[in-house]
Structures are given as structure tokens and as C-alpha cells.
Amino acid sequence: LLMKTLILRNRFEVEKALTLSKPRKINFIPTMGNLHDGHFELIKRAKKNRNINFVSIYVNPLQFNDKKDLDNYPRSLCRDLKYLEELGVGMVYLPEKGFNLNNTSTIQLGEIVNKLCGKNRKGHFEGVATIILKFLLIIKPEQIFLGEKDFQQILVIRKVIKDFNFDVKVKTVPTI
């Protein structure tokens, strides 16, 4: 028996859905879509504690240095939604284009972005951090699930959580 996945398109729909959800404990799995086995493992791990599993699919323009890379990023929304339904994900946030349209504020992360792959990806992790901050403010999850494949990203997200005093546990899952 598959549960119906709730598709949310803006902050107001998210807030309303979360207000109606009791108990309101959220596992958050942020993605850019084009889901694969690594994402599925994050969701399976998140399901183990009976909280609501909340997945975002958002191709974040702030983390791309080259517009061609953004334009060419693979998108498979229909397939992704089918998988999420099959996995029993409760809520999926697909932010509308206006979600980040006029965003002029970004997070400054300091030296953490000048190490590892951040040395060659100027602005990438600031873009990641900015969008994750927006998601955390809207969704207010209890836990966020991240793959160890993106090790530097985990460090950046932990820094955002600590610096902005979020009460969110970071759960990491080995690379699949």
C-alpha cells in the first residue's frame, strides 16, 4: 500500500502542510533531483525513525558558476516523483521559480570554502549554504540527511546549522 506523497510548491503550502502534521518531526533530504541509489539510501535511512520524510527537489542556480552547467543539469522530475511515491515519502517540496529569483543575500563561509574542491568552485558552497538556510527556516526539520559523497558540503551545512543556532541533527550516510 503506497501512501500519497504531498507535493508542495511554495513556503505557504509547506507551512500549512507542516501545521496539519502531527507529530511534526521532520527528516529532511535536500536534493537537486535526478535521483539515484544514493538518494534512495538517504530516504531509507530516514524512514527508520517514523518521522515525516520531507524531500526537496531544487536545482539551485546559486551553486553553478557556469550557466551552461545549470542549463545542462539533468532533470527527471516525473521519474523522481514516481520513485518518491514508491518509497513512501510524505512530502516533496518543489519550489517555484520565484523561490530564489531576487535573492541578493548570500552566506559568507570563510576559509572552509577555500579547501578541497571549493578551491576550484568559487561561490558554489555559498550558494549551497544560502539555499539550505532558506530550507531550514521554512521546513524546520529535526534531522537533515546528507550523503558522505559530498563531504565538504556536509561541513558547510554543519557550519550553517551551528552559526545560525538551528536545532537540527545532521545524519550522514555512506556513499552508495
Side-chain angles (χ1 to χ4, degrees), residues 25-164:
K25 290 189 176 183
I26 304 295
N27 295 324
F28 177 45
I29 302 103
T31 80
M32 292 205 313
N34 199 38
L35 302 180
H36 52 70
D37 289 344
H39 295 113
F40 304 148
E41 186 63 23
L42 292 172
I43 293 164
K44 288 174 189 169
R45 295 280 181 100
K47 286 180 76 168
K48 290 184 177 180
N49 65 12
R50 302 193 203 290
N51 292 352
I52 296 169
N53 286 326
F54 193 115
V55 173
S56 65
I57 298 177
Y58 181 66
V59 181
N60 177 9
L62 294 178
Q63 68 190 71
F64 288 89
N65 294 336
D66 185 340
K67 182 162 173 18
K68 285 184 207 166
D69 290 342
L70 172 63
D71 293 341
N72 292 326
Y73 189 84
R75 292 163 173 86
S76 54
L77 185 59
C78 290
R79 183 187 67 123
D80 292 347
L81 292 174
K82 179 178 173 271
Y83 285 145
L84 295 173
E85 181 88 21
E86 289 171 1
L87 287 167
V89 169
M91 297 181 194
V92 178
Y93 186 23
L94 307 171
E96 298 168 318
K97 284 189 185 231
F99 177 68
N100 200 51
L101 192 59
N102 296 315
N103 202 89
T104 57
S105 300
T106 57
I107 295 176
Q108 299 304 310
L109 297 165
E111 281 304 305
I112 195 171
V113 298
N114 296 323
K115 299 177 184 336
L116 302 172
C117 69
K119 288 189 284 190
N120 301 316
R121 301 176 86 183
K122 294 290 178 215
H124 172 79
F125 289 110
E126 291 87 346
V128 169
T130 300
I131 293 304
I132 290 295
L133 175 63
K134 290 177 90 162
F135 281 142
L136 293 175
L137 288 167
I138 294 168
I139 300 165
K140 300 174 183 71
E142 178 180 74
Q143 301 180 111
I144 185 170
F145 284 75
L146 304 168
E148 290 176 358
K149 174 182 125 342
D150 298 315
F151 180 71
Q152 191 168 9
Q153 186 166 290
I154 291 169
L155 298 177
V156 165
I157 292 171
R158 282 187 170 143
K159 180 174 177 39
V160 169
I161 288 169
K162 181 178 180 253
D163 288 356
F164 289 91

Side-chain angles (χ1 to χ4, degrees), residues 4-9 13 81 85 90-94:
K4 182 72 176 141
T5 299
L6 189 58
I7 307 295
L8 308 163
R9 303 258 180 202
E13 290 179 6
L81 292 174
E85 181 88 21
M91 297 181 194
V92 178
Y93 186 23
L94 307 171

